[in-house]
Amino acid sequence: IIWIFYDASWVLPVCGFIVGWFTNYLALKIIFRPLVPRKIGHYTLQGLFLKRQNEVSETFARVTCTELLDTEKIWGCILTGPKRRNFQLLLRAHSIVFTEKLIGGLRPIAVAALGSEQFANMKEDIATKVLEKIPEIIVHSYDYTTDALDLENTIKEEMQNLSAEQFEGVLHPAFEEDEMTLIMVGGFLGMVVGLIQIAM
């Protein structure tokens, strides 16, 4: 409309930027606002994600467990991540205790036959072998671990039971970091469309 009455070359790009900026700003806002349903006449307004909390929770849980909390990735972090030494110490301790329990009442005979030092060395050797072999054999536990943890269903159900404020608190931070970038991209695209219209 402004272009009809004032056809300066900057009008379309500037208006395009404003419209694009405002459109993306509005689109991002209606994802989460209003938090609680508001009745206006025959219409009920609520943030798009909040209105579809069950479906969004299901998708969020599936993506999280596929991309981040996949069993293979979890074990990869445990075995090779920065805290791997803690796991190795824990596994070593449990291996030694397991060996002791396995020998059980035969311990005095084993100590007498091997000697105290050799018996202790044997337990250390078993623990070392377990640590060496665990990366190879843990692969066979992936399916069992996935079923036992059941993370996808747990995350989905817990998110579906969150209040609107809590649900927004979980999801919104993922958008906030790039919110301004997305808004500015809308403005930039609007400006480009304005420039194209001038060129035509």
Side-chain angles (χ1 to χ4, degrees):
I1 295 173
I2 296 174
W3 176 257
I4 295 172
F5 299 101
Y6 189 75
D7 61 352
S9 59
W10 57 266
V11 171
L12 286 178
V14 169
C15 289
F17 178 86
I18 293 171
V19 170
W21 187 94
F22 182 74
T23 300
N24 276 22
Y25 173 83
L26 188 62
L28 287 169
K29 286 301 176 187
I30 64 173
I31 289 175
F32 295 106
R33 294 291 184 273
L35 277 177
V36 294
R38 289 183 183 173
K39 194 84 172 174
I40 300 177
H42 296 293
Y43 300 98
T44 301
L45 299 179
Q46 190 179 19
L48 297 178
F49 273 11
L50 300 164
K51 188 183 291 186
R52 295 169 175 80
Q53 183 167 342
N54 287 344
E55 297 93 321
V56 173
S57 297
E58 186 174 344
T59 302
F60 181 87
R62 184 174 64 253
V63 171
T64 300
C65 291
T66 301
E67 301 296 331
L68 299 175
L69 298 180
D70 171 67
T71 300
E72 185 175 354
K73 289 185 178 73
I74 292 173
W75 273 114
C77 289
I78 291 172
L79 296 175
T80 62
K83 300 290 186 179
R84 63 183 178 277
R85 183 60 183 158
N86 293 348
F87 174 74
Q88 290 168 353
L89 291 172
L90 187 65
L91 184 60
R92 173 191 168 277
H94 278 284
S95 297
I96 290 172
V97 170
F98 177 76
T99 303
E100 286 274 8
K101 288 182 178 179
L102 191 64
I103 294 172
L106 299 176
R107 188 181 190 283
I109 300 172
V111 172
L114 298 173
S116 296
E117 186 177 344
Q118 190 64 28
F119 181 70
N121 288 338
M122 179 197 72
K123 291 189 292 182
E124 287 291 346
D125 288 342
I126 292 172
T128 301
K129 286 293 183 185
V130 169
L131 286 168
E132 288 174 357
K133 293 293 182 182
I134 195 73
E136 300 172 21
I137 62 177
I138 203 65
V139 175
H140 304 293
S141 76
Y142 286 172
D143 289 340
Y144 169 78
T145 304
T146 300
D147 292 339
L149 292 176
D150 197 21
L151 285 176
E152 185 172 332
N153 281 324
T154 301
I155 293 171
K156 179 186 74 174
E157 289 168 7
E158 290 297 321
M159 287 191 68
Q160 288 175 342
N161 292 328
L162 292 176
S163 67
E165 290 80 4
Q166 291 170 327
F167 188 70
E168 191 255 358
V170 171
L171 291 182
H172 203 173
F175 289 82
E176 281 179 326
E177 187 176 342
D178 297 316
E179 239 177 36
M180 187 50 66
T181 301
L182 292 170
I183 292 170
M184 293 305 293
V185 166
F188 175 76
L189 292 175
M191 183 176 67
V192 170
V193 170
L195 290 170
I196 291 173
Q197 286 179 320
I198 291 175
M200 294 171 63

